[in-house]
Every structure is written in structure tokens, then in C-alpha cells.
Amino acid sequence: MPVAVRIANAAPAASVTARGETTPVGTPNADAADDPAIWRNAADPAQSLIVGTDKKAGLYVYGLDGKTRDFLDAGRVNNVDLKEGVTIDGTAGILVAASDRNDIARAKVALFRLDPATAKLTALGKVDGGSGEAYGICLGRDEAGLSAFIVLKDGTVNQVLVDASGATPSGRIVRTMKLGTQSEGCAVDDRTHILYVAEEDVGLWRFDARATGPTSPTKIAAADGRHLVMDAEGVAIAPIGEKDGYVVVSSQGDNAYVLYRLSDDSYVGRFRIVAGVIGGAEETDGIELMLGDFGPGYPGGIFIAQDGHNAAAAQNFKLVAWDDIVKALGLQ
């Protein structure tokens, strides 16, 4: 079993264990599973769904029991995000967006509808994401509408205003932002309209996420080998109250996850997912986090991490209760 990498100067990390895991992706012996997204079933939280990428093959839908509910052959889709309450072909629904790199010279935003009753995905079409290889993606809303922020492999971030209300979705690039080197993970805080992006060997940045906002980045944290160990990969947000909460980053270089406070960008702490009844998680790419009731197994929220070393099986995703992270780090 892989052992967590110990970096000499890295700060201590608390330990948590997973309460669940997904069925491994279908691509064996490869770096395949990558990024999860969460849909919370407000009427029956235990029936919530997870969408995850096999970046060699397509998109999976899982239940909270980890069992596969659907698979859609979408080719090389790398990261994924979703929003509910989006008008899709005239009716409100759950829109799933994935960074499509089937053509590495021209990024696309691949769009899908998720049916919560059947857990099935339906492909809606693709919109242009700009010149370059698609890598990360996250969704955000502001007064201009729904935006897909597509992070290209070279650190370019294109904001694509997406309209799925008609029979065929459309999109247009309304802004371009830039980081200096390879970047991937991102997340948007719709309360404050801040976009968080991880530049893998440099650190965590934030941008104004509004379509009319400035495009210059502000560095939150450096990949200094102490709190954040490169590669900095997945990014997720735990919003608390009107403006506070945490942004979480995968510190892939030492198999840890780092929390920073949203209100002032301050460092909060680190944790690892270690082996228990279920195996731990190592070399994590994508992560996702959502607070709220997800049933008896995850009453305060759920954190999901891609596991780059799932013992002898293909890669999968590990499910951790937010309450366990709160307890391990002594969060208020």
C-alpha cells in the first residue's frame, strides 16, 4: 500500500479516514479518474449524486453508496462541474460541464443534462473554450448569467458565458485571464464572485469572477513546500455564512489537503485521508466539497477526493464526512 510522502519542511497534517468510495473507473492501469462534482438532493439527501471523470473515456454518475449509476462515453474529458436551476432547452435542470480535450489544439466546454430521477446524463453539445488544451473547469453565476471558466494547460483562463436555454447550447468567451505556467483546479464562490485557481508549481490565486471585472490575479498562497506542496491540483470551497468559509487545495506533492480562510486568505490547516476500513487517498487530482445534510453517513457535508493509487484496482474517488475534517482540524 502506498505510504504518504513526507516532505521535510511540510507542516503537520491531521488524519481522517474515508467513509465511502466509488467503484473504480473503467480504465485500468492508467492515470484515469480525475475530478468529481456533487449534486445534493434536497428532498432526500442520501439520494444525492456524484459525477466523476475518467479522463480517458468519459463521465460516471455514482450514488453516495459509491455504486455506478450511469456512464457516458464522452472521450477525453478532464474536469467537471455542475449547477442546478439552469434553463436547459426551455426547462430548469441540472447542467453538467466538462473540460473537453478530445482536440488538444482547441478547447471545448462539453455540456450535459443530469436527470436526478434516473441518474442519467444526456449530451447537449459543445461550445468553444479557446485555443489550447482544455484542463480545468468550474462554473459560476453573476448578473451576466452562467459562466464556465475553462483553464487551459498553459495557465490561460477563458470565461465562457454559456446559454443552454435553446435546443442547442451556445457560448462566447467574454474575458481571458492568465497565469504563468501549467494550471488546472478551480472553483468559484458565487457569494463574493471570486474565482480560485491553482497554478501547479506556483500556488493558489484568486481572480474577480465577474464578467465585467478586472483580470489581474492576486496570490493567496505559494507552493512553498510547507503548507502547500507542489503540485497544487484540485480546488474546492466550503462557504459559511455570507462571506466566510474555506477554500481547500490538493497538495498533491505530499498527499495532503490544505485549507485557507475565505475572508482573509489566511492558512488554517492541513489533513490527509489515511487508510482505515477503506483505503486512503494519494496523489489526488480533483476534489469537491459541499456542506449540508447528505444523510446519516455525511450529516454535515461531504468531501470527495480522487485517489491516484487505489491499491491494485483502477483509480476511484474517496468520500469523507466534512464533520470528520472539522473535528480533526478543530474548526469552529
Side-chain angles (χ1 to χ4, degrees), residues 228-250:
L228 185 58
V229 179
M230 61 182 189
D231 298 330
E233 291 274 353
V235 179
I237 291 173
I240 299 172
E242 293 184 359
K243 294 184 178 181
D244 209 357
Y246 308 98
V247 55
V248 187
V249 188
S250 171

Side-chain angles (χ1 to χ4, degrees), residues 74 76-77 98-103 106-110 126 134 150:
R76 299 179 70 223
V77 287
S99 55
D100 185 301
R101 58 177 181 174
N102 286 292
D103 179 355
R106 194 76 195 179
K108 295 290 192 299
V109 179
K126 301 177 183 182
I150 186 157

Side-chain angles (χ1 to χ4, degrees), residues 138 151 184-189 191-198 204-207 209 220 235-237 243 247 261-263 265:
C138 49
V151 183
E184 182 176 4
C186 68
V188 180
D189 187 342
R191 304 169 307 163
T192 57
H193 302 300
I194 294 175
L195 165 69
Y196 297 88
V197 184
L204 179 66
W205 300 83
R206 57 180 165 85
F207 292 89
I220 294 172
V235 179
I237 291 173
K243 294 184 178 181
V247 55
R261 191 171 295 280
L262 292 174
S263 58
D265 300 337

Side-chain angles (χ1 to χ4, degrees), residues 58-130:
L59 290 168
Y60 284 88
V61 182
Y62 307 98
L64 293 189
D65 60 3
K67 294 179 180 179
T68 299
R69 301 284 300 278
D70 189 32
F71 172 75
L72 182 67
D73 181 356
R76 299 179 70 223
V77 287
N78 200 56
N79 279 196
V80 66
D81 200 3
L82 61 81
K83 288 282 187 186
E84 65 177 334
V86 178
T87 301
I88 305 171
D89 194 14
T91 61
I94 304 166
L95 185 72
V96 175
S99 55
D100 185 301
R101 58 177 181 174
N102 286 292
D103 179 355
I104 62 172
R106 194 76 195 179
K108 295 290 192 299
V109 179
L111 298 170
F112 310 85
R113 180 198 286 267
L114 174 62
D115 184 336
T118 64
K120 301 296 184 184
L121 288 165
T122 302
L124 301 173
K126 301 177 183 182
V127 300
D128 184 48

